[in-house]
Amino acid sequence: MSKIDIPVQVLRSEAVLPRYMTNLAAGMDLHAAIPAPLMLDPGARILVPTGLALAIPPGYEGQVRPRSGLALKHGVTLVNSPGTIDADYRGEISLILINHGQEAFHLKPGDRIAQMVIARVLQASLREVPLLDETPRNSGGFGHTGFRIEIDNA
């Protein structure tokens, strides 16, 4: 498995450096860098700092994803998932948590709240054309394999 070097700046004393929890893990856990516990009510969302800034090399991004255990046990996930940390971003990484559960979620300092996957990025050059090539699917979108959604354009 190949590795890249990513400089990390610690911005808050509560910050915990991300690390892989197993040898073959794709994602590193991101932690809540908060000075005291917080409560997230059902249906509420909150911006949670990690206390970290990264210098991701050009050609890579950080993909921020929910933790499946939080989603299953508490209904807590990320609002914008996956989130992207671009190679030119140098600010603090903060995560928007939302509670889809039935009960308040108690967030403690240092809790693991998301995971970050470092991935290669390929930028595309878009070229305008008058028509696209045909495929068996063509413009079949939502429900094209059997489930139909009717949209009233009136």
Side-chain angles (χ1 to χ4, degrees):
M1 193 173 305
S2 60
K3 294 188 177 188
I4 61 168
D5 180 62
I6 299 179
V8 180
Q9 182 181 8
V10 176
L11 304 173
R12 298 173 187 260
S13 61
E14 302 88 5
V16 176
L17 286 179
R19 67 183 184 95
Y20 297 99
M21 298 304 286
T22 67
N23 288 340
L24 298 178
M28 295 179 262
D29 285 330
L30 296 173
H31 301 257
I34 53 177
L38 296 172
M39 186 173 65
L40 185 59
D41 289 325
R45 61 186 178 274
I46 189 170
L47 185 65
V48 181
T50 66
L52 303 171
L54 304 176
I56 297 173
Y60 293 87
E61 68 165 325
Q63 296 177 358
V64 180
R65 303 174 182 180
R67 292 193 67 241
S68 56
L70 283 181
L72 177 63
K73 295 175 187 171
H74 305 285
V76 173
T77 190
L78 301 176
V79 173
N80 60 324
S81 177
T84 295
I85 305 166
D86 292 309
D88 58 353
Y89 179 67
R90 294 295 183 270
E92 181 174 15
I93 298 166
S94 295
L95 310 169
I96 308 167
L97 293 184
I98 188 165
N99 184 352
H100 288 302
Q102 306 278 321
E103 300 173 6
F105 175 69
H106 300 277
L107 182 63
K108 299 181 295 300
D111 276 355
R112 296 181 297 157
I113 54 174
Q115 57 184 325
M116 177 178 61
V117 173
I118 303 299
R120 291 188 186 272
V121 171
L122 179 65
Q123 287 188 337
S125 295
L126 300 181
R127 178 177 43 87
E128 186 176 347
V129 297
L131 290 171
L132 298 176
D133 60 315
E134 300 261 337
T135 70
R137 179 177 176 181
N138 271 335
S139 63
F142 295 105
H144 81 278
T145 60
F147 179 76
R148 285 290 198 219
I149 298 173
E150 297 296 325
I151 299 174
D152 183 11
N153 290 327

